[in-house]
Amino acid sequence: MRFVPAQSLVPGMILARSIISRKQAFMLAKGTQLTAKYVNYLQGKGYLGAYIEDDLSKDVVIHETIETETFEAGVEAVAEGNVDDIIDVSQSMVNQIASSSAISVDMVDLRSYDDYTFHHSVNVGIYAVAVGKEMGLSYAELEELAVAALCHDLGKSKIPAEILNKPGKLTDEEYATIKNHSKFSYDILYDNDAISATVRQAVLMHHENENGTGYPLGRTGDEIPKLAKIIHACDVYDALTSKRSYKDPYPHEKAHDYLEGGKDTLFDHSVVDAIHAVIPAYPPGIDVKLSNGEEAIVIDQSDQPRRPIIRLKHRNVKVDLSNDHAYREITIVASGIATIIKDEPVEVLNEKRNTEDRRKLVMIVDDSPISLMQTKAAIGQDYEVVAIANGIEAISFIKEKSVPDLIIMDVEMPVLNGISAVRSIRDSGFTKIPVIFLTASCDRETVMKGKAVGASDYIIKPASPTYLRERVMITLEGEIDR
Ligand SMILES: [Fe+2]
């Protein structure tokens, strides 16, 4: 079977897996031949796509991480906020995942757009349990993890839907409202005897970042419970790869890049490694495009995460990218989950998000010419960039020439370090310009000093272009994982 994005579904295709919607109100059983009406329905309801059966993909096996019934029971329990049912579902989820010999989460289609929060919570539960298993958590810990993952966003029921689903950027006030949801989730569980303190803490802190920039408590590193760290990274992974009212889905490999970029600043190191291990960057059954222009379907994983076993579409030939001589130099350049393959998915996405008339001005301050060049290359397509070699010049540029929309500031610089430069910019009256620190290390002292001068983010050097671009976008346009 293979995964066909909703836009590419056509009448006549045969479903390889059943599609069940909430309360079983709409069901298309495995083996059903799609009609125009069914295709319209799936596209209209925002399904990412469907798994279909065809000759090209006969030998592609998708491992069902949990049973469809369990998944749907989870969606139902979360939608109703029924904690007893959530606990039951959590136990069956853990049973199924813990007892399975399969190591990866292959499914990519089990989410529906119009009731995102409920599907999202179950997806996060599946990812979290698989990641927790990889990290060696005990059975009892996995059960608490599953309950916390399913409950993490229950508090969103108290946030107005028009804010949750608002297309485009949120106002500061709206974003502050959304940020209350983890506390609301905690409150909902507070008086429930069936919920342990461990679960409540994990729910409360699922938006905390390693470097203290998260919410609601601004905790750092070891102060954040392990279960909260796992839910946090899985939450962001699922938000990135999902379609939302305000964003297109990321291909899985880009979501991996993003998490890797946020290691030790946003996410726990070992959690990110476990995610790399259990969620394939190229899940079986998806379309990929190669650097030589050929199109293919992913058949299976190899021992190299970015070089899976594929089948070329036009020649019907199987190629193991991890050891095929003829394909040694060939790489995967794009993969299609949401739409037909786009050559530059992230760039296209950025272009759509960056629709304001005036291109925003980003000031990069760094004493290393190489570092300046890399940062400029990563964001120069989307923004006007002014590159400046030291803190003193940066201050005079702002005072005399132009006030940037964002400053990306190196920390260790001769003459005037980045922290002092920002302090001086703030003291000159420019209190609102957002600042991202680009640092070689992200120790607690740097973070505390950065906080004191109102930094909005810290990125560790050298940063991957995907991560850098997305963090700049998030700072200027708003969060991805509302
Ligand atoms: Fe959340």
Side-chain angles (χ1 to χ4, degrees):
M1 69 175 90
R2 67 193 183 94
F3 185 75
V4 177
Q7 296 86 328
S8 308
L9 289 172
V10 288
M13 287 179 166
I14 308 287
L15 281 182
R17 294 172 68 216
S18 301
I19 295 173
I20 307 172
S21 80
R22 264 187 74 204
K23 299 193 174 166
Q24 319 244 332
F26 180 81
M27 179 174 160
L28 286 177
K30 177 179 171 177
T32 302
Q33 186 167 35
L34 289 180
T35 62
K37 197 175 135 206
Y38 293 152
V39 170
N40 280 339
Y41 180 88
L42 294 173
Q43 290 172 344
K45 281 286 178 190
Y47 281 84
L48 274 184
Y51 282 96
I52 64 129
E53 209 68 81
D54 68 5
D55 284 346
L56 210 55
S57 60
K58 262 185 185 149
D59 53 350
V60 178
V61 181
I62 310 288
H63 160 241
E64 307 274 341
T65 314
I66 63 168
E67 290 161 10
T68 313
E69 292 71 25
T70 310
F71 189 95
E72 292 307 322
V75 172
E76 197 57 38
V78 173
E80 286 173 359
N82 184 329
V83 175
D84 292 337
D85 287 355
I86 286 177
I87 293 171
D88 284 347
V89 171
S90 299
Q91 284 167 351
S92 15
M93 268 173 64
V94 173
N95 273 330
Q96 291 169 33
I97 297 173
S99 64
S100 160
S101 58
I103 44 161
S104 68
V105 182
D106 293 341
M107 305 182 299
V108 294
D109 69 328
L110 284 170
R111 58 201 93 210
S112 166
Y113 180 50
D114 56 353
D115 47 8
Y116 169 80
T117 302
F118 315 136
H119 283 83
H120 166 71
S121 297
V122 182
N123 288 336
V124 172
I126 294 171
Y127 287 142
V129 174
V131 165
K133 180 185 172 191
E134 170 72 17
M135 291 173 71
L137 266 58
S138 71
Y139 200 90
E141 283 179 307
L142 290 179
E143 277 192 358
E144 291 194 300
L145 178 59
V147 175
L150 291 178
C151 292
H152 79 281
D153 274 349
L154 282 184
K156 282 193 175 165
S157 61
K158 300 198 185 304
I159 312 283
E162 57 276 21
I163 298 182
L164 278 179
N165 301 323
K166 180 183 169 182
K169 194 187 177 181
L170 297 175
T171 63
D172 289 350
E173 214 170 52
E174 288 166 338
Y175 190 45
T177 304
I178 288 209
K179 280 181 170 177
N180 289 326
H181 80 272
S182 37
K183 176 72 167 64
F184 290 159
S185 302
Y186 175 87
D187 291 343
I188 289 170
L189 301 175
Y190 194 78
D191 286 329
N192 195 315
D193 293 340
I195 298 292
S196 69
T198 309
V199 169
R200 281 202 304 271
Q201 293 293 317
V203 167
L204 179 67
M205 288 191 250
H206 78 269
H207 282 285
E208 298 289 351
N209 293 330
E210 288 298 299
N211 62 11
T213 53
Y215 62 87
L217 305 173
R219 295 272 169 86
T220 59
D222 293 344
E223 300 167 349
I224 308 166
K226 183 167 58 183
L227 302 191
K229 290 168 184 254
I230 296 173
I231 294 170
H232 177 38
C234 294
D235 181 16
V236 172
Y237 189 90
D238 190 64
L240 288 169
T241 52
S242 297
K243 183 174 164 60
R244 305 291 299 275
S245 53
Y246 51 89
K247 65 170 266 297
D248 282 341
Y250 271 41
H252 281 239
E253 75 273 19
K254 293 279 181 195
H256 280 277
D257 289 346
Y258 182 82
L259 258 60
E260 181 66 23
K263 247 184 188 178
D264 298 322
T265 50
L266 304 181
F267 311 114
D268 181 274
H269 206 99
S270 53
V271 172
V272 173
D273 287 343
I275 287 182
H276 292 326
V278 296
I279 309 177
Y282 298 107
I286 65 158
D287 289 346
V288 290
K289 191 171 176 180
L290 306 180
S291 53
N292 64 358
E294 285 183 297
E295 290 185 6
I297 295 167
V298 177
I299 303 286
D300 203 354
Q301 308 304 304
S302 73
D303 50 8
Q304 294 177 36
R306 299 288 172 120
R307 302 194 64 76
I309 301 161
I310 58 171
R311 170 164 295 114
L312 302 171
K313 277 190 185 172
H314 306 294
R315 294 196 279 133
N316 205 345
V317 173
K318 200 163 155 179
V319 175
D320 181 346
L321 288 178
S322 70
N323 69 14
D324 191 299
H325 241 66
Y327 280 78
R328 211 174 31 198
E329 307 292 327
I330 307 294
T331 54
I332 294 177
V333 291
S335 76
I337 293 283
T339 52
I340 42 173
I341 291 176
K342 296 173 187 169
D343 278 327
E344 301 284 354
V346 173
E347 283 72 11
V348 171
L349 180 61
N350 288 350
E351 205 175 293
K352 272 200 239 156
R353 286 158 69 182
N354 196 12
T355 49
E356 290 194 10
D357 295 345
R358 181 183 70 84
R359 297 231 303 171
K360 286 183 172 154
L361 177 67
V362 179
M363 170 186 275
I364 311 168
V365 189
D366 203 315
D367 63 313
S368 147
I370 295 175
S371 187
L372 268 183
M373 215 175 63
Q374 286 169 341
T375 309
K376 197 174 170 182
I379 61 168
Q381 289 196 331
D382 307 309
Y383 301 103
E384 292 300 330
V385 170
V386 52
I388 289 179
N390 66 65
I392 293 174
E393 270 182 48
I395 296 167
S396 37
F397 185 94
I398 294 171
K399 283 185 182 165
E400 291 156 23
K401 292 190 179 149
S402 175
V403 180
D405 296 283
L406 169 72
I407 302 170
I408 300 177
M409 179 74 80
D410 185 17
V411 175
E412 293 301 326
M413 289 185 292
V415 193
L416 185 66
N417 76 40
I419 305 274
S420 309
V422 173
R423 190 177 300 122
S424 161
I425 291 166
R426 298 286 191 232
D427 289 346
S428 309
F430 303 98
T431 52
K432 291 269 162 66
I433 310 172
V435 172
I436 295 176
F437 280 115
L438 248 188
T439 72
S441 76
C442 188
D443 54 280
R444 200 184 164 96
E445 205 193 326
T446 309
V447 172
M448 295 321 276
K449 284 181 179 165
K451 260 191 167 176
V453 296
S456 31
D457 203 358
Y458 308 81
I459 298 175
I460 296 190
K461 276 181 176 178
S464 79
T466 303
Y467 184 71
L468 194 59
R469 205 184 289 129
E470 282 308 311
R471 293 309 296 177
V472 167
M473 192 73 62
I474 285 165
T475 307
L476 288 170
E477 326 287 340
E479 282 291 341
I480 304 173
D481 58 326
R482 288 181 192 169

